[in-house]
Amino acid sequence: MFREMRRKKQLLPEAETIEILQSCTSGVLAVTGDNGYPYTVPLSFAYQDGKLFFHFAKAGHKLDGIARNDKVSFCVIKTDDVVPQTFTTHFRSVIVFGRVRILTTDSEKRYALERLVEKYSPGYMAEGRLEIEREWNQVCAAELIIEHMTGKAAIEIVAQKEN
């Protein structure tokens, strides 16, 4: 169903891939946009138990794309160090494929929003819950159920680990 990574030696272990999802603060969501064009948008996200959680406004290009086709991809770049003298980039990144669904029950929506508060404002859960209540009617939440995920590192990073 999903392509295997061509350069298997650069494949990161699942634990390291998840660590990237847990530590990075933004990624790019790709949905099917208008007239068949891809639409990508940077987003904050939280990872928990094989799912990514997002929040966004109740209307817009993202929601239209998800309504059109719930299959999406999401990309996160943790490391991106350009090395000019060797004409390369030392990178670590993750690509996720899955299906997004808009969370419709209050408990699911609250769970997703609280995961975002935990990630971006640790130590401020009580204040975060108040913010969730204040914005409740203006925000929607979504979950991306991960169907396939790969982490990849530049061959130079892989070689450093082997030595």
Side-chain angles (χ1 to χ4, degrees):
M1 175 183 229
F2 294 98
R3 290 184 184 203
E4 286 188 35
M5 203 165 90
R6 194 171 50 86
R7 296 186 172 181
K8 291 178 181 36
K9 189 170 184 171
Q10 292 176 258
L11 182 66
L12 294 175
E14 183 177 359
E16 192 170 345
T17 300
I18 290 171
E19 184 280 323
I20 291 171
L21 291 175
Q22 290 173 330
S23 65
C24 287
T25 57
S26 65
V28 178
L29 180 68
V31 301
T32 303
D34 295 343
N35 302 311
Y37 283 96
Y39 175 70
T40 61
V41 60
L43 292 175
S44 301
F45 69 98
Y47 171 86
Q48 184 77 38
D49 299 325
K51 298 175 184 176
L52 296 175
F53 296 97
F54 309 101
H55 77 290
F56 28 82
K58 289 189 164 190
H61 208 156
K62 287 184 299 294
L63 283 176
D64 293 346
I66 291 166
R68 185 178 298 115
N69 182 355
D70 67 344
K71 293 179 182 177
V72 301
S73 67
F74 188 72
C75 177
V76 175
I77 300 170
K78 179 163 187 162
T79 307
D80 184 28
D81 298 324
V82 175
V83 185
Q85 65 273 23
T86 58
F87 308 100
T88 193
T89 304
H90 294 180
F91 67 89
R92 288 179 38 197
S93 62
V94 174
I95 297 179
V96 168
F97 294 90
R99 293 178 179 260
V100 170
R101 72 181 186 94
I102 305 306
L103 301 176
T104 56
T105 70
D106 287 354
S107 62
E108 289 177 319
K109 180 178 172 181
R110 188 172 315 283
Y111 178 83
L113 296 173
E114 287 179 355
R115 299 300 68 79
L116 291 159
V117 170
E118 283 177 351
K119 180 173 182 175
Y120 293 94
S121 300
Y124 294 91
M125 205 61 208
E127 296 88 342
R129 285 189 178 108
L130 290 173
E131 182 68 12
I132 289 169
E133 293 307 316
R134 275 193 295 276
E135 299 296 325
W136 188 258
N137 292 323
Q138 286 75 44
V139 69
C140 76
E143 74 175 7
L144 189 166
I145 299 169
I146 297 173
E147 295 179 347
H148 183 71
M149 170 176 71
T150 56
K152 185 177 180 181
I155 196 69
E156 295 84 359
I157 292 174
V158 172
Q160 283 176 344
K161 283 184 183 180
E162 290 176 352
N163 293 334

